[in-house]
Amino acid sequence: MKIFKIVKDNKKSLREKSLEITFPLDKELEDTLLDMVEYLKISQNDELAKKYHLRGGVGLAAPQIGINKRMLAIYVEMDEKVYEYALINPKIISESAKLTYLQGGEGCLSVDSEHNGYVYRHYKIKVQAFNLLTNKEEILEFKGYLAIIAQHEIDHLDGVLFYDRINKLNPFEVRKNSIAI
């Protein structure tokens, strides 16, 4: 089990575009990505999170642990299912016109301060990526909350933070063609 030091949003590296990963995979990168998934699991376990002083997270991008490579991890339990991904070179290949947002706003392991306002995301997206957990290139469809998580993490790979997407003039503007989650 590896406990990562999370890079905070005041670090320049979090604003840089991450590099594509070449194949064959480097064993160290592969192990790191699997550790990222494990980190998310531990962060969601109340007892372990308290023991290791971790904030709970559902997604983690490599730049957040100081590696500017295009890989991310997602781990979330919802609707009595476990959604677990270890993605390399993820790319959004289609997105819905319908938008969605979290009513309580988004948060981020790299951001300690409050940033109030709605962050609009596409309600449904298709992502092409190499999934280390299945060991193959896949096209994955994410909807609702999972789509929000995936877009948030992919933004990290492009040096974008969630609060960059909040309307500064009207942070709680409700857009047409959007649904709150």
Side-chain angles (χ1 to χ4, degrees):
M1 165 178 71
K2 183 159 185 177
I3 303 300
F4 296 107
K5 182 176 180 354
I6 302 296
V7 175
K8 297 302 175 180
D9 63 340
N10 62 345
K11 299 291 185 222
K12 186 177 176 256
S13 64
L14 220 50
R15 293 304 195 158
E16 295 170 358
K17 194 168 172 76
S18 295
L19 302 171
E20 289 276 322
I21 295 172
T22 56
F23 289 83
L25 278 180
D26 174 276
K27 177 77 170 118
E28 189 177 334
L29 269 184
E30 194 175 303
D31 290 345
T32 298
L33 184 52
L34 294 174
D35 286 341
M36 289 166 62
V37 175
E38 194 62 29
Y39 179 94
L40 292 173
K41 288 180 189 176
I42 292 166
S43 80
Q44 293 175 39
N45 176 309
D46 291 339
E47 190 177 301
L48 291 174
K50 186 176 179 181
K51 178 179 176 180
Y52 296 110
H53 310 285
L54 304 178
R55 283 173 51 198
V58 292
L60 185 63
Q64 293 179 276
I65 59 167
I67 299 170
N68 279 78
K69 301 272 189 179
R70 297 190 76 79
M71 63 183 196
L72 63 86
I74 295 173
Y75 182 87
V76 64
E77 296 176 24
M78 69 180 177
D79 305 327
E80 298 179 25
K81 289 184 186 171
V82 172
Y83 298 90
E84 183 175 20
Y85 303 94
L87 303 181
I88 296 171
N89 298 330
K91 182 168 42 173
I92 296 172
I93 57 171
S94 74
E95 49 198 29
S96 65
K98 187 194 311 187
L99 300 175
T100 190
Y101 61 96
L102 293 176
Q103 230 165 351
E106 286 187 24
C108 180
L109 295 175
S110 292
V111 179
D112 293 331
S113 55
E114 286 280 321
H115 292 273
N116 297 313
Y118 298 144
V119 179
Y120 285 91
R121 308 280 188 185
H122 296 280
Y123 178 75
K124 186 165 53 170
I125 60 171
K126 284 187 181 174
V127 174
Q128 182 174 349
F130 183 85
N131 187 351
L132 188 57
L133 300 180
T134 61
N135 210 30
K136 63 183 179 184
E137 187 79 17
E138 296 180 337
I139 294 178
L140 303 159
E141 187 174 291
F142 298 108
K143 285 193 275 193
Y145 186 49
L146 275 174
I148 290 171
I149 297 167
Q151 289 168 89
H152 178 112
E153 300 311 324
I154 290 170
D155 268 357
H156 274 301
L157 303 180
D158 293 322
V160 177
L161 295 170
F162 77 90
Y163 55 75
D164 298 339
R165 297 190 176 279
I166 296 172
N167 180 335
K168 306 297 180 253
L169 299 176
N170 188 0
F172 295 100
E173 168 195 25
V174 176
R175 293 187 192 170
K176 291 181 180 177
N177 199 31
S178 69
I179 57 169
I181 293 180

